[in-house]
Amino acid sequence: MDEATPDRGRRNFLNWFLGTSVGGLCVAVLYPVIRFVSPPEEPEAATNQVEAGATNDPELVDRGFKIIRFGADPVILIRVSETEFRAFAATCTHLDCIVEFQKEHERIWCNCHNGEYDLHGRNVAGPPPKPLEPYEVNLASNGPSRPATIVVSRS
Ligand code: FES
């Protein structure tokens, strides 16, 4: 009988144990690094239309506007009258601040540098170099007894 047999078994076990431990450690360290360096391709879901609530939304009635999410983009929805709504990209064309609607002055205003747009999104004062991107607004009827739903879509 060979005296080295128990040592060989122990050696094989240690080799296996260390090999799998080192392999596991390498996988545990390298996998997150590789995932970080090359994130999976995930196509951004294209948003073409968003429901922005009812025409009698208290925020719209009280403040005259609200900011909605259009996919990843902020959009300002303005209540011009009881039946007329307009929507524009809410990102100022100067340095990307979020604009707001000033009901009392009937203007879209950017408080970062006092930029001003009219109710058609045209830049009329201050540093904004171009108009706000318009969005299309339609009202979807919910029957005679319920307020319509505001639907915003890309122009
Ligand atoms: S970011 Fe709007 S005016 Fe400068």
Side-chain angles (χ1 to χ4, degrees):
M1 192 84 189
D2 188 8
E3 288 182 17
T5 303
D7 284 342
R8 185 177 294 157
R10 197 175 334 159
R11 186 172 297 139
N12 286 344
F13 172 76
L14 283 174
N15 283 341
W16 170 83
F17 181 75
L18 291 174
T20 55
S21 297
V22 170
L25 179 65
C26 288
V27 170
V29 170
L30 292 178
Y31 180 74
V33 171
I34 291 169
R35 292 285 299 196
F36 179 77
V37 171
S38 63
E41 287 288 324
E42 290 179 25
E44 187 173 313
T47 304
N48 294 319
Q49 188 170 296
V50 167
E51 288 191 6
T55 52
N56 66 349
D57 181 326
E59 190 176 0
L60 281 170
V61 173
D62 295 344
R63 295 173 58 201
F65 81 103
K66 70 178 184 179
I67 303 292
I68 62 170
R69 302 293 317 178
F70 196 96
D73 303 323
V75 167
I76 184 167
L77 175 63
I78 298 170
R79 181 181 188 262
V80 179
S81 72
E82 212 170 285
T83 56
E84 187 181 1
F85 298 83
R86 294 182 192 156
F88 305 95
T91 307
C92 181
T93 58
H94 179 223
L95 292 176
D96 295 342
C97 288
I98 301 299
V99 297
E100 61 186 74
F101 173 61
Q102 289 187 322
K103 198 174 176 179
E104 65 279 7
H105 298 295
E106 293 194 336
R107 69 176 182 172
I108 301 168
W109 183 63
C110 178
N111 71 2
C112 284
H113 310 101
N114 201 24
E116 187 177 332
Y117 304 85
D118 67 13
L119 289 184
H120 296 281
R122 294 181 292 233
N123 48 319
V124 291
K130 57 185 182 178
L132 296 171
E133 178 192 352
Y135 283 71
E136 190 176 317
V137 180
N138 291 299
L139 302 182
S141 174
N142 292 315
S145 60
R146 296 178 52 212
T149 299
I150 304 166
V151 180
V152 178
S153 52
R154 290 200 188 277
S155 295

